[in-house]
Structures are given as structure tokens and as C-alpha cells.
Amino acid sequence: MAKKIISKDKYAVVTGASKGLGFEYCKELLKLGYNIIGIARDASSLESLKEQFGDKDIIAWNYDLSVFENNKIVIDKCKDFDIEIFINNAGYGVWGYFSQSDVEQEMNMIDLNIKSLHFLTKEMIKKFVKQNYGRVINVGSMAAFTPAPVFASYYASKAYVFSLGVAINTELKKTKSKARVITVCPGPLKTDFWNRSSNQKEAKYKSTIKVMKTSTYARRSLKAALKVKKKNFIITGFSNKLVKKITKWAPMGMVLNSVYNYQRKRK
Ligand SMILES: NC(=O)c1ccc[n+]([C@@H]2O[C@H](COP(=O)([O-])OP(=O)(O)OC[C@H]3O[C@@H](n4cnc5c(N)ncnc54)[C@H](OP(=O)(O)O)[C@@H]3O)[C@@H](O)[C@H]2O)c1
């Protein structure tokens, strides 16, 4: 298939762009030819991409998206750009038994993982429907597919991301819009996610599941999310596809037991 030519004026926005998966998405988008706007509480690391992608516009915006007003500022500033892709990637988790985990952290996580993503999705989809092109890509997780004892609120937040995105995308297809909301569902990745989620600075990464390189995940999931016409969500990699099947077909009690045993031993 012929490579899509990206107009030099097109922008892609990535939240949570300073490191981890968001930073990798920025690199992939630049390689595809997009200019980028990257958002994080401290997005200064994006400067490092300017040498490699000097012909592209690389804009870093420092905003804490768990503060609702900042999302309104972001949408307002986006009006000055021709945006074709908006990736809601910023997010984190709060690990621990529900009776012991910090409620302030959980409220902040809900403000970021749910409220910010919901608002930004709505505002961008209104714009994309009007212009009849554009994709919102929401970063969900394999966590969307089961409740998780000892990581309850994070998994619940990703179930929200999944449910919202799949429903909106179905509306868009039914109403013959070319705009899309695609939900990508990563399995475990070796990023700083676990440090923040477990409240440890140098957390040791533990996973019994084979972990895909973050850059590989970014490349493969972005390619699929930009290409799909009918699919509502993307699961990348054999182990993740298998886990999805197991959570669908295995008895709920069995799934909950194994998630409990996996999560309680993590810290
Ligand atoms: N890592 C995994 O195993 C895994 C698996 C499935 C899904 N995911 C999802 O993938 C996404 C990216 O996570 P990651 O693994 O790349 O984690 P990460 O390395 O910790 O990166 C998180 C990014 O979000 C930004 N961020 C955090 N709080 C923010 C806030 N309040 N406002 C604006 N930006 C904020 C961070 O930058 P600042 O700190 O500068 O704000 C950083 O750029 C998340 O939605 C996560 O839930 C991760």
C-alpha cells in the first residue's frame, strides 16, 4: 500500500508525552511526518527530539491534566492547529488494598485517567466530526477486561476508558462519520508506571507475563490504530490476545483469584 503523505501543517497531540509510552508515540508520529504537541506536567524532555526531527514542529506544553481547568486551556490552545490525531495517554494507578490505599491519590487518578480523558475526548471528537477527519486514540489497558483485587480503582478506571471509547466509536460508525475513537489496550510495559503506582522511587519491575518493548508496542499499536476502519479497540501481541480470551471464557472466580495472587505479590 502507498505510504500516506502527511501535510506539513498537520499536528498530533500526545498527553503524557514526557516519557514511557507517550514519548515513544511522539517519536513514531514524528517518523510518520506529523508535527507534535506533547503535554505533561514537565514536558521538557521533548527537546531531545528536536535534533533528530529538526524539520518538524515539536511543541511542549506543561500542564497537570488532573486539574480540570488545564484541560480547558489545552482545548482552547489546540484551536490554533490543524490536529488530526489526539492521543489520551497520560495516566497512572494506585496499587494496594482498597481499605488502605490513599483516597487523595485515587481521586487525583480519577481526575486524570477518567475526567481529563473524557473531556478531551469529547472536545476533540466534536472538532473531528465537524471536519470529518481525525482520530482520538485512548490508551486503555488489558486492565479494562477484569476487576482487580489489590489494584481496584486503576483497573476500574481503564474499564471506563474502554467502555466510553467503544461506545463513542460505534456511534461514529453508525452515523457515517470518518472521525474515530480507537482504544488501545497495552499489557504490561517496562516504564515508570509501576514506580508511581506503587509509591516507590526505584520499584523493581515484576511480571510473570512476557513484556513487549515499549517502543515496539508504540509502533505496532499506533500503526493499527491509524489503519483500522471497523475495529473499536486494539490488542497487540500474542500474550495479550490470549489473556483477553481467558478473561472472556474462564469462570470469573478463577480470573479474580489469579489476578489477586498476581497483584498482591507485586510490591
Ligand atoms: N506501563 C504499563 O505497564 C501500562 C500498561 C497498560 C496501560 N498503561 C497506560 O499507558 C499510559 C502511559 O503510561 P506509561 O507506562 O508510559 O507511564 P509513565 O512512564 O509513568 O508515563 C506517564 C506519562 O504521563 C504523564 N503524566 C502523569 N501525570 C500527569 C498529569 N497529572 N498531567 C499530565 N501528564 C501527566 C507523565 O509525565 P509527568 O510526570 O511529567 O507529568 C508521563 O509523561 C497510562 O495511561 C497507563 O495507564 C501502562
Side-chain angles (χ1 to χ4, degrees):
M1 203 167 71
K3 203 177 158 197
K4 188 178 167 193
I5 309 284
I6 310 295
S7 145
K8 65 178 182 22
D9 301 325
K10 294 277 183 205
Y11 281 78
V13 182
V14 181
T15 73
S18 63
K19 57 183 176 176
L21 182 55
F23 191 77
E24 296 301 329
Y25 275 140
C26 288
K27 285 204 266 186
E28 291 304 320
L29 288 159
L30 287 161
K31 282 187 212 161
L32 290 175
Y34 288 98
N35 301 296
I36 56 158
I37 299 169
I39 306 168
R41 288 170 301 174
D42 175 4
S44 55
S45 59
L46 290 170
E47 281 291 318
S48 67
L49 296 175
K50 286 191 174 164
E51 204 171 311
Q52 194 184 348
F53 300 99
D55 58 329
K56 294 285 152 225
D57 198 8
I58 299 173
I59 301 173
W61 289 347
N62 294 337
Y63 287 110
D64 182 341
L65 295 174
S66 66
V67 178
F68 188 65
E69 285 305 309
N70 288 340
N71 293 277
K72 291 187 180 165
I73 297 171
V74 163
I75 289 298
D76 209 43
K77 285 172 75 169
C78 279
K79 288 183 182 139
D80 297 335
F81 300 90
D82 183 359
I83 295 167
E84 191 168 80
I85 298 166
F86 194 104
I87 306 188
N88 279 306
N89 163 75
Y92 73 101
V94 181
W95 179 89
Y97 285 87
F98 192 71
S99 59
Q100 295 161 18
S101 51
D102 186 300
V103 74
E104 290 302 324
Q105 276 183 19
E106 283 164 355
M107 292 301 119
N108 184 269
M109 184 205 73
I110 289 168
D111 285 341
L112 182 65
N113 295 16
I114 296 181
K115 272 183 81 173
S116 164
L117 175 138
H118 181 121
F119 178 76
L120 295 172
T121 301
K122 189 172 204 71
E123 292 303 312
M124 292 316 297
I125 276 304
K126 283 191 322 200
K127 176 184 162 73
F128 290 166
V129 165
K130 209 183 263 177
Q131 69 194 24
N132 207 24
Y133 65 82
R135 278 180 187 224
V136 171
I137 299 173
N138 283 343
V139 179
S141 170
M142 291 302 295
F145 303 120
T146 171
V150 204
F151 215 174
S153 49
Y154 173 67
Y155 275 52
S157 77
K158 290 300 181 180
Y160 183 92
V161 172
F162 180 80
S163 176
L164 183 81
V166 168
I168 303 168
N169 203 49
T170 306
E171 286 178 12
L172 293 167
K173 288 184 292 184
K174 294 279 182 205
T175 52
K176 309 271 182 256
S177 172
K178 284 193 176 131
R180 288 287 179 269
V181 176
I182 306 297
T183 308
V184 295
C185 303
L189 300 168
K190 277 190 193 172
T191 64
D192 286 346
F193 170 84
W194 180 239
N195 298 26
R196 189 170 180 199
S197 303
S198 62
N199 282 316
Q200 299 173 92
K201 278 218 161 66
E202 298 296 333
K204 243 178 125 188
Y205 188 87
K206 286 183 205 160
S207 176
T208 43
I209 303 163
K210 193 167 176 275
V211 175
M212 194 182 285
K213 263 179 82 180
T214 309
S215 53
T216 309
Y217 179 77
R219 180 173 39 78
R220 288 177 57 186
S221 62
L222 183 67
K223 192 176 169 202
L226 294 181
K227 198 168 134 190
V228 287
K229 288 202 170 69
K230 293 201 174 135
K231 274 190 184 173
N232 298 314
F233 63 94
I234 308 287
I235 296 179
T236 310
F238 176 76
S239 336
N240 292 333
K241 286 181 179 152
L242 187 67
V243 168
K244 171 76 170 71
K245 283 213 166 23
I246 292 169
T247 52
K248 189 168 176 196
W249 298 113
M252 179 78 146
M254 209 170 104
V255 174
L256 290 173
N257 262 341
S258 56
V259 177
Y260 173 67
N261 285 328
Y262 174 68
Q263 290 299 348
R264 78 193 165 102
K265 291 182 193 146
R266 283 188 84 179
K267 200 163 170 180

